[in-house]
Amino acid sequence: PANSMEELVSLCKRRGFIFQGSEIYGGLQGFYDYGPLGVELKNNIKASWWRTNVYERDDMEGLDASIIMHRLVLRHSGHEATFSDPMVDNKKNNKRYRLDHLVKDQKAEVVAKVAAEMGESVENFPAVVAALVARPAQASAALMAAGVRDPFSGEVGDWTEPKPFNMMFRTTIGPTADEDSYGYLRPETAQGIFTNFKNVVDSTSRRLPFGIAQIGKAFRNEITPRNFIFRVRELEQMEIEFFCAPGTDEEWHEKWLEARLAWWEAQGVPRSKIQILDVPKEDLAHYSKRTYDLMYDYPTLGYEEIEGIANRTDFDLGSHTKAQAELGLQARVEENQDSIAKLTIPHPETQKPVVPFVIEPSAGVDRAMLAVLSEAFTKETLENGSERIVLKLRPHLAPIKVAVIPLARNREEITSVARAIKADLQKLGLGRVLYEDSGNIGKAYRRHDEVGTPYCVTVDFDTVGKGEDPNLTDTVTVRDRDTLAQERVKISELAGWIQARLR
Ligand code: ATP
């Protein structure tokens, strides 16, 4: 695995996985572009998630809802009122920071002093943040008394009172500029699932329990985006809302925890690197009865959330349904006079209409990518003493499955065979197969190690009967990324050979 975030950032830029967004104009903080190899890896991660959660199950439907949503969706979901992070400004330079990040990044003695000023134990950091948010005037004084420094200037700041900052991006819709013609870029994909609940049930005749899966972009105006693609403003999520009868929710919650850990394992992110955080009651989101956060041990950052698996009770459908009063909801919801749909389904036993409970496994694609890259990253010292970097990606995730390399790029008899092999292998439908004649073979191998290509196929003079060993005619050399073993394989058997190893 990678030792530092820096190592990964540098590989990602050098080999074309990830670039800073709008880079040629100085970059835009919190936005990243996925390059030629990044888009392949990302697509492969998403395809694997979709296969496991939609195709291999019989209790799941897919969905792709729109990104811009009616403001009433985000009002009744609770996001207008509560989707905010506390921020503070430094009056000296007008820089703005997310309060908890600002305090957490100070020297230990400064953090301890802030905690003491607020009368909280430094051991319980969330309680310190909660106190700062609850008593803003005291908080401002505490930050100054403790000497909290501005990460940008390095000097002690002149801090304002903490204020909530709503993280949703708002945008105007249509040509009129009146007060009501705005919508939001969704801050999570989940709301598109809840608002389509009835459409999916009516069109598929689903019965409880069943789930709806969705992969898509979400947008959060993070106050301090940072740590490469770990915290970005435009992110992608892979979310499931799994609907079940009230009373069966706890059992499904445990099942989903297991299922999700197994999936991560299959992506090369082992359980031993994931801590399961049973989120303490006082830190739970307002809609949640219980949440497991999967915390992955990221290089440099340490354990941070890669996926949240929440029991959201009947809060979401209960918030978006009409006729709330007659439905016996268990969650406390705000009154909804706007919805025109009753979001119920027959209870599996009584057949009476019920608002189901929901278990939500929600994973970030960007954070998945970072974890997968980090686990695959390997630095090896070879027998001859030289060092190589190799990405030991699981084959189904590798951006390039096979590189086909002609040993001489200006010898038609060799290049034509190499091109024919590329075309044949491409037809297997395994993903990208690259015809590669960009330079010397040593460099090509090095590059393909670094981007995780499982196999390099080399076409040489022996292949076309112009080498020293006539027995090698119509064979190619296949080089294994991990073992470095080179095997001579008959061209007629190559597709089967590759297919058997890459499936
Ligand atoms: P955090 O506490 O790190 O801000 P969160 O608890 O707000 O995350 P959720 O709302 O539970 O995150 O979102 C579900 C998943 O979406 C997270 O587990 C994470 O993988 C991903 N995610 C959330 N916010 C971001 C972001 N700003 N950048 C990248 N991925 C994100």
Side-chain angles (χ1 to χ4, degrees):
N3 284 315
S4 70
M5 189 66 88
E6 231 182 324
E7 227 166 27
L8 284 182
V9 174
S10 134
L11 175 80
C12 285
K13 163 111 199 189
R14 186 169 73 245
R15 293 303 186 190
F17 283 91
I18 301 166
F19 309 122
Q20 175 69 60
S22 305
E23 193 176 312
I24 65 167
Y25 289 101
L28 196 54
Q29 231 199 330
F31 298 91
Y32 286 89
D33 298 338
Y34 285 83
L37 296 174
V39 61
E40 298 292 341
L41 175 55
K42 207 177 184 209
N43 284 343
N44 292 341
I45 290 173
K46 291 190 279 183
S48 169
W49 186 92
W50 196 265
R51 250 192 330 267
T52 301
N53 292 299
V54 183
Y55 296 164
E56 290 174 10
R57 298 183 68 103
D58 295 308
D59 56 2
M60 193 74 71
E61 299 290 349
L63 182 75
D64 183 17
S66 74
I67 285 170
I68 295 180
M69 304 190 85
H70 199 293
R71 63 202 157 82
L72 288 178
V73 173
L74 283 316
R75 178 166 310 160
H76 289 295
S77 68
H79 284 84
E80 270 191 352
T82 63
F83 195 65
S84 57
D85 276 335
M87 60 162 195
V88 285
D89 291 330
N90 180 2
K91 286 183 235 165
K92 286 183 181 163
N93 59 5
N94 290 319
K95 292 265 173 205
R96 176 168 284 182
Y97 299 96
R98 188 166 140 178
L99 177 65
D100 51 342
H101 289 168
L102 176 73
V103 177
K104 201 170 164 194
D105 290 349
Q106 302 290 313
K107 292 210 174 89
E109 61 261 32
V110 176
V111 184
K113 223 164 162 199
V114 173
E117 291 282 334
M118 299 307 294
E120 295 289 339
S121 156
V122 71
E123 305 294 315
N124 188 352
F125 189 71
V128 177
V129 175
L132 290 166
V133 171
R135 304 194 296 275
Q138 195 189 345
S140 165
L143 297 181
M144 287 194 287
V148 167
R149 288 179 186 274
D150 183 315
F152 182 77
S153 67
E155 290 167 19
V156 174
D158 181 5
W159 301 106
T160 61
E161 297 184 3
K163 273 195 295 259
F165 173 77
N166 194 295
M167 290 194 287
M168 283 197 293
F169 284 96
R170 220 174 111 150
T171 190
T172 39
I173 301 170
T176 50
D178 66 77
E179 251 311 285
D180 283 342
S181 52
Y182 66 89
Y184 293 108
L185 275 64
R186 62 185 180 194
E188 58 179 24
T189 65
Q191 296 307 321
I193 298 183
F194 299 129
T195 51
N196 278 292
F197 174 76
K198 201 172 153 37
N199 285 333
V200 174
V201 170
D202 290 351
S203 57
T204 62
S205 308
R206 281 286 178 185
R207 293 275 169 263
L208 292 181
F210 80 99
I212 302 178
Q214 177 169 227
I215 300 176
K217 294 262 178 145
F219 300 81
R220 299 181 177 190
N221 197 3
E222 299 273 357
I223 304 163
T224 32
R226 57 187 196 163
N227 297 328
F228 194 35
I229 54 169
F230 179 81
R231 187 172 301 286
V232 289
R233 288 176 166 144
E234 176 173 338
L235 54 135
E236 199 159 5
Q237 293 183 311
M238 306 181 280
E239 295 197 300
I240 293 163
E241 305 301 331
F242 194 82
F243 303 100
C244 59
T248 65
D249 51 303
E250 291 180 12
E251 192 186 316
W252 277 109
H253 201 190
E254 300 304 316
K255 281 190 198 161
W256 274 108
L257 174 62
E258 271 316 301
R260 295 302 305 141
L261 287 167
W263 184 81
W264 283 112
E265 182 102 46
Q267 313 314 309
V269 182
R271 282 175 198 229
S272 59
K273 295 285 287 289
I274 293 178
Q275 278 177 3
I276 302 162
L277 176 69
D278 190 349
V279 179
K281 280 261 170 315
E282 63 270 24
D283 300 338
L284 286 176
H286 61 285
Y287 50 74
S288 174
K289 173 172 161 186
R290 187 172 190 178
T291 295
Y292 296 125
D293 279 347
L294 305 190
M295 313 290 282
Y296 169 74
D297 190 8
Y298 285 97
T300 306
L301 311 183
Y303 285 95
E304 293 283 355
E305 180 180 330
I306 189 169
E307 170 161 358
I309 307 173
N311 181 340
R312 296 175 71 128
T313 71
D314 55 2
F315 175 82
D316 303 280
L317 292 180
S319 295
H320 285 304
T321 188
K322 71 170 184 183
Q324 289 165 315
E326 15 177 301
L327 297 174
L329 296 173
Q330 296 191 33
R332 266 211 290 138
V333 298
E334 298 284 325
E335 190 183 2
N336 188 334
Q337 300 277 15
D338 300 307
S339 171
I340 53 171
K342 209 189 246 184
L343 304 182
T344 60
I345 188 168
H347 188 285
E349 277 143 32
T350 65
Q351 303 307 323
K352 286 202 183 115
V354 65
V355 176
F357 268 43
V358 58
I359 305 298
E360 176 196 73
S362 169
V365 177
D366 314 84
R367 289 185 191 182
M369 180 123 166
L370 203 50
V372 161
L373 281 170
S374 168
E375 283 303 315
F377 189 95
T378 313
K379 235 182 208 165
E380 283 178 354
T381 310
L382 301 178
E383 272 169 24
N384 65 10
S386 69
E387 217 177 50
R388 76 159 180 157
I389 292 175
V390 50
L391 272 190
K392 297 195 169 177
L393 292 168
R394 297 288 163 104
H396 72 281
L397 297 180
I400 299 168
K401 308 302 179 188
V402 182
V404 183
I405 308 170
L407 207 57
R409 70 169 127 175
N410 43 18
R411 295 288 290 262
E412 155 69 17
E413 66 272 42
I414 290 182
T415 56
S416 61
V417 172
R419 284 193 193 280
I421 290 175
K422 184 245 138 112
D424 269 0
L425 295 181
Q426 191 59 63
K427 283 190 201 122
L428 297 175
L430 297 165
R432 185 162 195 203
V433 176
L434 193 73
Y435 174 85
E436 155 98 62
D437 66 354
S438 53
N440 78 37
I441 184 86
K443 271 197 185 149
Y445 284 163
R446 239 182 99 94
R447 176 165 55 251
H448 284 290
D449 282 346
E450 283 201 15
V451 306
T453 307
Y455 297 105
C456 288
V457 170
T458 306
V459 178
D460 57 18
F461 288 94
D462 281 319
T463 310
V464 296
K466 294 200 171 157
E468 314 206 316
D469 187 348
N471 293 321
L472 297 181
T473 305
D474 292 332
T475 68
V476 289
T477 301
V478 185
R479 175 183 179 273
D480 183 300
R481 175 195 73 194
D482 297 342
T483 65
L484 295 176
Q486 302 204 12
E487 199 176 317
R488 217 57 208 192
V489 178
K490 283 192 188 147
I491 293 176
S492 59
E493 291 168 7
L494 184 63
W497 192 100
I498 294 281
Q499 207 166 23
R501 286 162 180 79
L502 285 188
R503 213 167 343 174

